[in-house]
Structures are given as structure tokens and as C-alpha cells.
């Protein structure tokens, strides 16, 4: 429901007497996704987007060189399936989830419920599968070419979304890309510095 929720939120926002017609959208990871998914229908009051660590090709986000990214989707499922894990060590739960076979049945075996969004990603590994062009996935993938406002993308060399962020940036219309920026630094998905060197004050300050 993110697209409709975003439309409703923007309609509410532009109707407020305290907004001055200069709105910017901001957020990283999932909050970057919620920006991208409404990027083609922004009201004129929204002048820019600032999206961190999130691209628009969910297949490239979920798979790297054909390998399913447990560190992304399985870890996400553990914390977003509505299961109370307070009685178990999360490291043990993750180890069990990562190694469960057949993996498409992991959700029902460990969580006791079917997660359609998770099973869909697990059972459609090929980027050529029509699954990735359907519904919100296809809409999101096509979004960079529909953006009309300049945007600032922020990615990290150690971030899980860097690959798809490069693709999203290249897919911007040339006139939009000329006014936009893509900043990549020594950051993880949490926009925290990482690597072999120390980076004092190396985080991204959004203030």
C-alpha cells in the first residue's frame, strides 16, 4: 500500500497552511523505497528527493550474481513476520532460517505462516522472470525514467543496495541527471563508516 499511502500523505501535506511550497522528501532504505514509489506523481510543491541506500531494481537488490541475499530478505523476514522471538537467540534463529531446505517453505516451517512476498522473491531468481516486471516491482523499476525533479542519491561502497543504485542513477532522464547528484562514500547500509581506514566524522549528516 506504499504508493497509495504516499499519495495520501502528499495530498495532506500540500494542504497544510504551514508548508511554503518547497518540500523535499528524505529517507534511506525502506524510506528510500517509499520515495521512489511516488516519484512519478509528485505535486509541484515537492522540489527534490534525497534517497539513501535504495535503488529501484528489486531483483538486483535480492540477488547478487545469481545468489539469493539472505542478509537482506531472510533477515528482514525474521524481524517483520510478526513472530515473538524473545525466548530464542536471534543468531540461532537466523542460522536455522538461512539453512532451511527447501527454502521456499522456510516461512511456514519457522514462522507458522505464509509470507507471499518472501516466497515470491525466493522462487523467482531469474532477472528475466516476468515476476520482476509485475505490479509494484515493475512500477518501481521503471521509476527513474519518470522522475521530473532533481534528486540526491547517497550510497555506500559497503552497502547492499549499491549495485541497483548505480542502475537507478543511470536510468534517470539526462536532463534530470544533469541536475542531480549521486554520492558514494565509505558507508554501510546504516550510513556508518567502514573499511580498512578510520574515517573521523565519516557519517552522512542529514541536518
Amino acid at each position: 500500500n506504499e504508493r497509495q499511502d504516499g499519495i495520501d500523505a502528499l495530498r495532506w501535506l500540500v494542504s497544510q497552511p504551514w508548508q511554503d511550497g518547497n518540500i523535499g522528501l528524505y529517507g534511506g532504505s525502506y524510506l528510500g523505497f517509499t520515495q521512489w514509489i511516488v516519484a512519478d506523481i509528485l505535486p509541484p510543491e515537492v522540489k527534490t528527493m534525497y534517497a539513501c541506500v535504495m535503488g529501484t531494481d528489486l531483483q538486483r537488490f535480492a540477488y547478487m550474481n545469481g545468489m539469493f541475499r539472505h542478509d537482506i530478505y531472510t533477515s528482514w523476514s525474521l524481524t517483520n513476520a510478526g513472530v515473538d522471538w524473545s525466548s530464542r537467540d536471534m543468531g540461532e534463529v537466523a542460522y536455522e532460517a538461512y539453512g532451511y531446505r527447501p527454502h521456499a517453505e522456510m516461512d511456514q516451517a519457522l514462522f507458522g505462516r505464509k509470507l507471499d512476498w518472501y516466497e515470491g522473491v525466493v522462487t523467482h531468481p531469474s532477472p528475466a522472470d516476468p515476476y520482476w516486471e509485475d505490479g509494484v516491482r515493475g512500477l518501481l523499476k521503471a521509476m527513474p525514467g519518470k522522475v521530473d525533479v532533481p534528486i540526491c542519491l547517497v550510497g555506500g561502497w559497503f552497502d547492499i543496495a549499491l549495485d541497483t543504485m548505480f542502475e537507478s542513477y543511470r536510468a534517470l532522464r539526462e536532463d534530470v541527471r544533469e541536475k542531480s547528484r549521486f554520492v558514494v562514500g565509505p558507508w554501510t547500509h546504516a550510513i556508518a563508516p567502514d573499511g580498512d581506514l578510520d574515517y573521523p566524522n565519516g557519517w552522512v549528516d542529514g541536518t
Side-chain angles (χ1 to χ4, degrees):
N1 298 315
E2 286 88 353
R3 183 171 171 87
Q4 188 57 54
D5 288 347
I7 293 171
D8 291 343
L10 289 170
R11 286 174 178 167
W12 174 85
L13 181 59
V14 298
S15 70
Q16 301 307 304
W18 39 259
Q19 68 88 14
D20 65 357
N22 292 290
I23 298 170
L25 305 185
Y26 173 88
S29 194
Y30 177 70
L31 299 181
F33 166 78
T34 59
Q35 293 180 69
W36 278 118
I37 203 61
V38 295
D40 62 328
I41 48 173
L42 298 176
E45 290 86 354
V46 176
K47 300 300 193 294
T48 190
M49 293 166 44
Y50 185 99
C52 299
V53 294
M54 187 64 202
T56 56
D57 188 334
L58 293 181
Q59 196 279 337
R60 295 178 75 119
F61 189 64
Y63 289 85
M64 177 177 285
N65 298 326
M67 182 67 70
F68 178 65
R69 299 291 303 272
H70 281 295
D71 56 334
I72 303 174
Y73 272 94
T74 304
S75 296
W76 177 270
S77 72
L78 293 175
T79 55
N80 289 276
V83 178
D84 182 5
W85 300 111
S86 59
S87 63
R88 294 195 58 185
D89 177 87
M90 285 306 296
E92 294 180 356
V93 173
Y95 186 81
E96 184 177 356
Y98 295 166
Y100 192 89
R101 299 292 182 272
H103 197 75
E105 300 174 8
M106 181 277 295
D107 52 350
Q108 297 186 68
L110 268 65
F111 305 156
R113 65 188 65 182
K114 182 180 177 66
L115 302 179
D116 290 330
W117 61 269
Y118 184 79
E119 291 185 16
V121 171
V122 171
T123 56
H124 296 87
S126 172
D129 194 307
Y131 173 83
W132 299 105
E133 304 297 332
D134 185 43
V136 68
R137 295 173 296 275
L139 179 65
L140 184 68
K141 187 176 180 180
M143 201 59 76
K146 301 178 180 181
V147 176
D148 287 323
V149 298
I151 65 176
C152 180
L153 299 178
V154 177
W157 289 121
F158 306 100
D159 174 44
I160 54 181
L162 185 62
D163 177 46
T164 180
M165 289 197 75
F166 272 110
E167 289 300 306
S168 300
Y169 180 71
R170 284 193 286 260
L172 294 172
R173 292 200 326 256
E174 185 175 355
D175 61 315
V176 173
R177 192 169 59 249
E178 287 179 352
K179 296 180 291 184
S180 300
R181 295 292 182 271
F182 182 19
V183 180
V184 182
W187 306 306
T188 64
H189 195 66
I191 309 297
D194 200 1
D196 297 329
L197 301 176
D198 292 329
Y199 298 95
N201 302 316
W203 56 87
V204 176
D205 187 352
T207 58

